[in-house]
Structure formats: C-alpha cells, structure tokens
Amino acid sequence: MSVLDLPELALDCILDLLPPSGLCSMARVCSSLRERCMSDHLWEKHLKTKWGKILGPAAHREWQSYISSSTYHLDSPHPKTGNLGFAKVISLIRSLSSVFRDDKQRSRYASSLPLDSSMSCYLSLETGRFWFPAQVYNRENGHVGFMLSCYDAELSYDTLTDTFQARYPPHGRRAAAVEKGVTWDRIRAAPIDASPHHLHVSDSLKELKPGDHIEIQWRRNKEFPYGWWYGVVGHLESCDGDLNHCHCQLSETVVLEFNQYTVGSRWRRTMVMRDHKEEGNEEDGFYGGIRKLNCKEEVAMWKRHWPCSILE
C-alpha cells in the first residue's frame, strides 16, 4: 500500500505533523507528494512558529522586493553556501549532505518551487540568503553605550550556530557596524512600522503617570537614526511620591527615569512636555517619540536585558 492510497484527510494530517526536514524528504518521493509538500498552508505554519515573532511588516515588504529582484533564485550561488545551490539549502535544514539524488532532479525541483511561496521564504530565511529588517536589543555585543536600547538592523540567520549576523546602517561619519552571534532573545520585529529616521507621533503622552513603563526614541544627533530606549515615568521633584496625594499626571511636564544609570548621571533623568515632539541638543542628544508599554511581555523583554551593573 502506498502513502498515496491513504484517504485525503489522513494524508493531509500526516503532512501537517511533519517538520520542515520531513516535508523536504517527502517532496522527493514523487511529483504528487512534491506538490502537496510545497503547499503554502503547510509552510505558513512553520514560518509563523519559527519566524513569526521577529518578522514584521517591513520584513514582509523586503521579502517581496527580494523575490522580485533579478538576482534572486534559490539555485543561484550565495556568499554563505557558494555554488551548492538548492541541494545545500535542503541539506542545511536536514543536516545531511543532499536531499536530491542528482543535479537533474535538483534543478527540476528548484525550478518548480514558486518564488513567492511560503516554502521559498522559509528556506531563504533558514539558510541566511534573505537579510530581513528587525531590531536588536543591546547592539554590538552589549556595548555600554547601547545598554537597554533597541536599534534597527538587517539580519541573516546562521543555521549552524542558531544565531544571527546583524548589519547596522552607517550614519554620520560612523561606518556600518557588523555583529555576529546575535541570539534570538535579542531580536524583535519593529513595534512601529516606520523608518528609524522617522519621528514617532506619540499618542499616549496625555495619559502617562508615575510608574508607567515606556520606551522613547533617542539619537545622538540629527544625522543618526533613532534607537528605542527603555525607561519609566517618575515623580516631579515637588511630589513626595505618595500615590494618594500625587498630582504628577495633571502636570504638563512628564519626568522620565532611566534607572539603569547611577543616581547623579546626566542620563538618569529627563523631562518632556506633554505636547512633546523632539527635544534635545548636540551635547545630550535628541529625545523623540514615546511609546507607552501596555504589554507585560514587552516590559519583561526589556528587563531580561537589564545590565549586570549600574551604568555611569
């Protein structure tokens, strides 16, 4: 009895339970199974499970641009995989030398895979061929100047180490920076679908009160892109901190505290107005838009990246 003799529902259930490597193996059995195993509904699940949390709208737009480029082809040479082409794509996933028995079969399979398919997207991500935009916490290996910040970067996955390589864009006189070994827990999809040079228009300034968790855009000067920095709303100096008598929320001034810095540090505390847009100078940098963090998971993510010691 052949697996193709199974009822349609039973076969679909089996394929739905297979991991990506299993689908790739089944796809080489025959043309009928190949078509089934390349189905978007199977690969969309794997895309969402492994990549969903770090792929935002910008990554999806970049993918569409990537597959429409004249240089894109799954069987073309790649800086990481050389001339091994599609056979190497599959072997990286399966940790085997090859899935296909010969070059003729490999070429036939590669050419039959739609470029805009979910399987194609998964394989391009898995092998690092597709560099996608996202944001990285504590960039450049936790450099002290970037602790508790999150910056835009282009990322490429390394399946051998299960980490990423990040490329940070050049700005001002600073050349592009490259960081290897970026772990999954340091990556997120951008919460705001906009350029890192775009000032976020805050919609929560009027409601901010002491104790609220926020992240705020900050950049060294106006040539630099914004990064997002974690902080909390504090009390005015005129307030004793007693919540029963606190009127800070009624003030037009909002105190922002960055408690990763030592008391007395010029980076520890700043104040913005509730009609705030961008404020700052060339010495202390420029503070941009503010996001109130209403999601406990977002706050927990920031706290997981808290520095081991207080910063100066």
Side-chain angles (χ1 to χ4, degrees), residues 3 5 27 33 54 60 71 92 96 99 114 116-117 130 144-145 147 179 227 252 255 282:
V3 68
D5 294 327
L33 281 175
I54 61 174
H60 291 289
T71 58
L92 283 172
L96 298 173
V99 163
D116 61 349
S117 68
F130 173 47
V144 66
M147 292 301 292
E179 178 183 357
E252 286 302 307
V255 175
E282 293 293 332

Side-chain angles (χ1 to χ4, degrees), residues 272-283:
V272 299
M273 304 303 293
R274 291 193 187 271
D275 60 355
H276 165 78
K277 289 186 171 46
E278 183 182 61
E279 299 176 12
N281 53 59
E282 293 293 332
E283 181 179 356

Side-chain angles (χ1 to χ4, degrees), residues 43 62 143 187 191 199 241 260 283:
W43 287 92
E62 184 64 23
H143 186 286
I187 302 171
L199 176 66
Q260 64 269 36
E283 181 179 356

Side-chain angles (χ1 to χ4, degrees), residues 147-148 214 216 218 229-235 237 254-272 284 287 306-307 309-312:
M147 292 301 292
L148 280 196
I214 59 97
I216 184 170
W218 182 87
W229 295 72
Y230 172 73
V232 294
V233 179
H235 291 274
E237 290 186 359
V254 180
V255 175
L256 302 179
E257 296 180 342
F258 305 94
N259 295 324
Q260 64 269 36
Y261 293 98
T262 186
V263 175
S265 168
R266 67 185 178 123
W267 305 113
R268 171 82 176 204
R269 183 179 171 99
T270 192
M271 291 184 287
V272 299
D284 296 326
Y287 293 89
W306 198 270
S309 57
I310 299 298
L311 308 176
E312 295 296 328

